[in-house]
Amino acid sequence: SPKNFDNLNEKVRDLSLSLKLATETDIAKGLYDVGSSGFNGAEGIQVLDTAIKSSKAGRADLRESSMLIAQTLNAMGKNSTYAEQTANILFKTVQRGVLEFKDLASGLGDLTANLKSLGQPLEVAGAALALETRKGTSPQKAITNLNSLLLSFAAQSEQSKKMAEKLGIQMDSNAIKAKGFATVLEDVIKAAKGTGDLNGTLFTLLGRQEALNAALQLSNAKEFRNELKEMENSSTALSD
């Protein structure tokens, strides 16, 4: 209605004036982008407000931030009330890793969808990507490798099942949902080390070189769990 439209325009002006980060035109475009992702009206304002804060904190492009947050919420099956929590995790990932919002914006979609299929939170991806990129892997390669690792668990091959049974471990999607990604990965690494051929056994279990690369970079269980804690404690990342 005309009244709702006027209210929306007023919200756009308020956002622009309060944050002094972008023009009304930029914010209007951002609102259109989040609306295209299914967040309209008050929900769209909530997502956009968070995106502007993310842009300001991370010196990122508003459109990239708004689309990243909106698409991540959709992929993880979350509504707009999770916008700030999501943005804090994404910002913490950028803070602790060697990557930028634009890197996440261009490649996080499939990864978050696979996380959701395994019943795992966004913090798992944040922790893994921060570690991988700090160890020298490019952001896009880190995302590809991690996605491959998740797929190895989500769609376990017959060869992998036979090896896992031989080693006495469970590493299918049900195990991930029950125990969590970090615990199952730790079990897999420990069992593979016990064979005396870590790389060869991991390759048989995972079936993909990219998955193997990610697993090796996340093989220090204490290091990965510490990084995961950082992500879980990211509730004030944008305001710190």
Side-chain angles (χ1 to χ4, degrees):
S1 68
K3 185 177 179 181
N4 287 338
F5 184 76
D6 288 342
N7 288 339
L8 198 56
N9 277 337
E10 186 177 345
K11 286 282 188 183
V12 168
R13 286 192 294 272
D14 287 345
L15 286 173
S16 179
L17 289 171
S18 64
L19 291 162
K20 297 179 182 178
L21 178 71
T23 66
E24 287 182 34
T25 300
D26 291 332
I27 293 176
K29 287 180 179 178
L31 193 59
Y32 174 82
D33 288 336
V34 299
S36 298
S37 296
F39 298 97
N40 297 295
E43 282 197 329
I45 289 292
Q46 188 171 24
V47 173
L48 184 61
D49 187 23
T50 303
I52 293 172
K53 291 173 185 175
S54 298
S55 296
K56 185 177 181 182
R59 297 179 182 178
D61 177 80
L62 175 57
R63 188 166 194 179
E64 288 172 344
S65 295
S66 59
M67 290 300 291
L68 173 60
I69 294 169
Q71 288 173 358
T72 302
L73 287 170
N74 279 332
M76 298 299 289
K78 303 287 188 181
N79 60 37
S80 64
T81 60
Y82 290 88
E84 189 161 342
Q85 177 187 0
T86 298
N88 277 316
I89 296 166
L90 295 171
F91 183 65
K92 195 75 169 183
T93 303
V94 169
Q95 252 189 342
R96 294 189 60 79
V98 186
L99 69 170
E100 300 177 6
F101 268 92
K102 65 181 179 181
D103 298 314
L104 295 175
S106 64
L108 205 60
D110 289 341
L111 181 56
T112 46
N114 287 323
L115 271 181
K116 184 175 183 292
S117 74
L118 290 168
Q120 298 306 290
L122 184 60
E123 288 90 339
V124 168
L129 294 176
L131 275 179
E132 287 181 272
T133 54
R134 285 212 308 270
K135 292 181 178 183
T137 303
S138 71
Q140 291 311 309
K141 192 66 177 172
I143 291 171
T144 298
N145 290 351
L146 180 58
N147 198 37
S148 181
L149 180 58
L150 293 174
L151 284 171
S152 293
F153 291 121
Q156 195 181 6
S157 68
E158 287 303 315
Q159 184 183 36
S160 174
K161 289 176 183 176
K162 289 178 183 177
M163 177 60 81
E165 185 177 359
K166 180 180 177 181
L167 295 173
I169 58 172
Q170 189 178 2
M171 54 172 286
D172 58 11
S173 58
N174 289 330
I176 297 279
K177 290 173 182 176
K179 296 168 138 184
F181 176 80
T183 298
V184 173
L185 181 60
E186 187 176 353
D187 290 345
V188 168
I189 296 293
K190 185 177 179 180
K193 280 182 178 177
T195 67
D197 181 13
L198 174 63
N199 286 19
T201 304
L202 278 179
F203 188 81
T204 301
L205 287 168
L206 301 174
R208 302 173 174 91
Q209 184 61 46
E210 293 85 357
L212 171 61
N213 293 340
L216 291 173
Q217 289 195 313
L218 305 177
S219 62
N220 185 322
K222 183 178 179 180
E223 181 182 46
F224 184 51
R225 287 187 183 278
N226 285 342
E227 200 63 41
L228 200 49
K229 280 185 180 179
E230 290 287 342
M231 296 297 152
E232 290 167 348
N233 296 327
S234 64
S235 60
T236 60
L238 285 175
S239 56
D240 286 347

